Each structure stands twice: as structure tokens, then as C-alpha cells.
Amino acid sequence: MKKELYKTELQINTILFNISIFITFIAMLMMLIEFFTRGAFPSTKIGTFYIGVLLIYSLHKEALRWISEKEWAQNKRKGEYFVYAWFILTPLLYLINFLTKDYFVYNDQGVLLNALPEITVTSLEVGGVFIVTRILKLIFGIRHSKNTPSS
């Protein structure tokens, strides 16, 4: 029964991961378009939805770990790629903006744009989801090691 439950939940987690990849791509694409067009497109407003999807995927992934640590050992660390992607993209955009002397944070009329701050917040939120799941992993690891007999 536990094996069947794990198999079903693993399939769900794979689907959630693929959805997360798709939404990450869409969110990054929209935010990059907003950034590079300097206000020609409206604010993406996708941040809350995107972080919610990542949180659902991450919490489900941790639940899988709790169901079966043994089987999970071979299927881990995929979620870190979201953090790496955002933590590489964000400073690159800051560098581009710096080298262009704030060209991408103001539109042609001199109005301050929100793209870079929104990308920054999204990046930090992705990092926050990662930290929360790492903390859960540590808590579970401590709890799991207390329940495992010593050799």
C-alpha cells in the first residue's frame, strides 16, 4: 500500500515539477520582455501565482520525502535549478542596467519602471521557498535519525 501511494505521489510530483518548469519559463520570459521593452508591456503580475506554484511543488516534494526517505534518495535536488536560474538572471539584469546607466529602469518619459524590483522580489521569494524546504529537510532528517536505531 505504501509503495503504491509513493508511486502515485511520485507521478503527481513529476507533473508538478513539469508545471513549475513551464511557469518558470513563462514568468522569466514575461519579466524579461517587460524589462527589455522598458514599459512597452504592462507589469506581469505573475509573481504571487508563480511563487504559489513553486511552494505547492516544494511542499509536495517534502511530503514525498516523508513518505519514503529510501526511495526518495535517488530523486532529489531538481528544485534547486529554479533558485540557480533566478539567482543568475537577477544579477545579470542589474549588471545590464548598471552598464547602460539605468536605461532599463526608466521609460522614455523618465518614469521609474517596476520590472527590476519585481524580478528581484520574485528571485528572493524563490530563494525563500528553497530555504523553507531546506529547513523542513533538516527537521525531517533530525526526526528521522532519532527514530532510526544506532548501529
Side-chain angles (χ1 to χ4, degrees):
M1 169 102 160
K2 189 175 180 182
K3 199 95 159 150
E4 291 174 26
L5 175 63
Y6 179 79
K7 186 177 178 181
T8 300
E9 293 304 319
L10 186 60
Q11 290 172 341
I12 291 170
N13 193 258
T14 300
I15 292 167
L16 289 173
F17 179 74
N18 290 332
I19 289 169
S20 295
I21 288 174
F22 176 73
I23 295 172
T24 297
F25 176 76
I26 294 297
M28 284 184 164
L29 180 65
M30 290 171 63
M31 288 182 186
L32 286 170
I33 290 170
E34 180 186 358
F35 177 81
F36 284 112
T37 61
R38 299 176 59 225
F41 288 86
S43 175
T44 64
K45 297 177 183 64
I46 196 170
T48 303
F49 173 71
Y50 173 64
I51 295 304
V53 168
L54 283 186
L55 194 57
I56 289 167
Y57 161 70
S58 297
L59 292 176
H60 188 266
K61 181 180 74 169
E62 290 309 310
L64 268 177
R65 184 179 323 282
W66 295 341
I67 290 171
S68 181
E69 182 73 23
K70 184 179 174 184
E71 286 94 352
W72 186 254
Q74 65 204 15
N75 188 17
K76 57 182 182 176
R77 302 182 72 152
K78 296 188 306 186
E80 291 177 19
Y81 296 119
F82 298 111
V83 180
Y84 301 148
W86 286 102
F87 279 22
I88 290 169
L89 175 67
T90 302
L92 283 176
L93 294 179
Y94 273 99
L95 179 63
I96 290 167
N97 184 62
F98 174 77
L99 294 174
T100 60
K101 300 178 182 173
D102 278 346
Y103 179 77
F104 292 102
V105 294
Y106 296 99
N107 68 11
D108 291 336
Q109 292 77 35
V111 176
L112 186 63
L113 301 170
N114 291 325
L116 196 53
E118 287 178 9
I119 291 167
T120 301
V121 168
T122 300
S123 183
L124 294 173
E125 289 172 338
V126 169
V129 169
F130 174 73
I131 292 300
V132 166
T133 57
R134 296 299 296 175
I135 290 169
L136 289 173
K137 200 174 296 181
L138 290 171
I139 291 169
F140 176 74
I142 291 168
R143 194 180 91 227
H144 181 64
S145 66
K146 285 182 181 178
N147 293 336
T148 305
S150 305
S151 334

